Amino acid sequence: NLTAVGEQLKASGTVSAKKFLLKFNVTDASEEYEFTIFPDGRAIIKGTDQLDRARVLYAKYVGH
């Protein structure tokens, strides 16, 4: 449910929602990241090219 995820993420950063995706911007460890989250749980994380870092960020902010 993108609406519920968006409400959860508002405490950590900036959220904007559209019908089929959610954008989330956050600063973590002095680095800026932009998440694009889709209804099926997939996400694109801009700001890192390290897969392990992206997984940690996803787990921290979105969940498993």
Side-chain angles (χ1 to χ4, degrees):
N1 183 333
L2 287 180
T3 303
V5 172
E7 288 299 318
Q8 171 191 334
L9 293 174
K10 282 183 182 178
S12 301
T14 305
V15 175
S16 63
K18 300 194 182 207
K19 187 174 182 179
F20 295 108
L21 61 89
L22 181 119
K23 293 271 189 175
F24 170 60
N25 294 292
V26 66
T27 301
D28 188 277
S30 300
E31 299 289 330
E32 291 187 25
Y33 300 99
E34 178 185 276
F35 290 61
T36 303
I37 304 169
F38 300 94
D40 64 359
R42 291 177 299 125
I44 298 169
I45 301 174
K46 293 182 184 177
T48 185
D49 58 358
Q50 299 174 7
L51 183 58
D52 289 340
R53 179 70 179 142
R55 285 181 175 155
V56 167
L57 290 166
Y58 185 91
K60 179 178 182 177
Y61 292 105
V62 181
H64 298 296

